[in-house]
Structure formats: C-alpha cells, structure tokens
Amino acid sequence: MTVAVGSPAPDFTLPTDQGELSLAALKGHPVVVYFYPKDDTSGCTREAIGFSCLADEFAKAGTTVIGISPDTVEKHGKFRVKHKLTVALGSDPDHKVAECYGAWGEKSLYGKKYFGIIRSTFLIGPDGTVARTWPKVKVEGHAEEVLAAAKAL
C-alpha cells in the first residue's frame, strides 16, 4: 500500500554519502523522494542521471530531490562519482523507509518471486503532505514529468 495523495509524508532520517538527511529538515519546501532498486544498474543509473541533469531546474523550483535505495553509503558515493550525480542518495538497507511509502513489495523476475524496491516516486508539498505519486515508474521521461509537477505546486 502506497501513501495516498493528501496524506502526511512519512518522516525519515537517512545516512547519505554526504552526511545525514532528514525530511523534517526540508519542510517548507517541495521534496521529490524516489525509490530505486540498486546503484549502478541500467534503469537506476538512467533515472539518477535524469534527475541530476535537471538539478538546476528543480533548484529553481525550490525542490530538493532525494533518491533512496537499500545500497550502502559507500556504494552511493561510488555511484555518485562514477556518474557525476548531483541528487542526494539515502541509504535504507533495512528498507524501513521504503516500507512506509509502500515502495517495498513482492516482485517477479523470470517467474521467480522475491521482495524488493518497487520503483516509485513521491512529490511532497511544502506543507509536508504528499502532492503526487508515481507508482511503478517507467524511467524514460520520468524526471521531466516530476519536474513539471514540482513547478506546478
């Protein structure tokens, strides 16, 4: 179950490769939280690069972008450097934050079922409520769509 539009965004504090990051500290400004399965995989890399390429536009809209995966802070650091990423990358190894947002669940690959991150994005308004959700994200064009929604807040 994902968090609903209009509901309070679940608060979190996570380590990043650049220090600790707290959603509560960002209240008063729009925030994009996107969940992705794994650093340095094809789709996840394209998604992170997409958000990073639009970082200046998100900043002009007063919006912070945070990517969250179960990967370690160390892996996030290597991922950031390798692909020149500018978005914050939160480490959620026990997937507690992902579970709060409904971004952790059963998946299937080649008929094998397993649990993992469900690629999804949440736009949180300045008041701390969820303004928009994108469950089961398709990477192509996604960052642009999220930017348009952030600008419309």
Side-chain angles (χ1 to χ4, degrees), residues 1-9 101 122 129-133:
M1 180 87 166
T2 186
V3 293
V5 170
S7 67
Y101 279 82
F122 302 84
T129 63
V130 177
R132 178 105 186 255
T133 66

Side-chain angles (χ1 to χ4, degrees), residues 21-127:
L21 188 123
S22 167
L23 184 61
L26 298 170
K27 194 165 184 180
H29 303 280
V31 178
V32 171
V33 177
Y34 76 94
F35 292 90
Y36 67 100
K38 189 170 176 61
D39 288 344
D40 227 6
T41 57
S42 173
C44 298
T45 299
R46 287 193 326 270
E47 186 175 25
I49 289 171
F51 279 115
S52 290
C53 285
L54 295 173
D56 289 343
E57 293 298 312
F58 277 104
K60 285 179 190 172
T63 304
T64 300
V65 178
I66 304 166
I68 299 176
S69 86
D71 287 314
T72 64
V73 168
E74 293 76 20
K75 285 184 82 178
H76 283 339
K78 290 176 185 175
F79 184 45
R80 174 187 307 291
V81 169
K82 181 177 180 180
H83 298 286
K84 298 180 176 87
L85 303 176
T86 58
V87 296
L89 299 175
S91 177
D92 185 26
D94 55 5
H95 47 81
K96 288 188 187 296
V97 176
E99 287 181 37
C100 287
Y101 279 82
W104 180 264
E106 188 173 71
K107 298 171 75 171
S108 179
L109 183 64
Y110 303 117
K112 182 181 176 187
K113 295 198 182 285
Y114 65 99
F115 280 84
I117 293 287
I118 298 165
R119 190 183 306 275
S120 41
T121 302
F122 302 84
L123 175 59
I124 301 164
D127 63 355

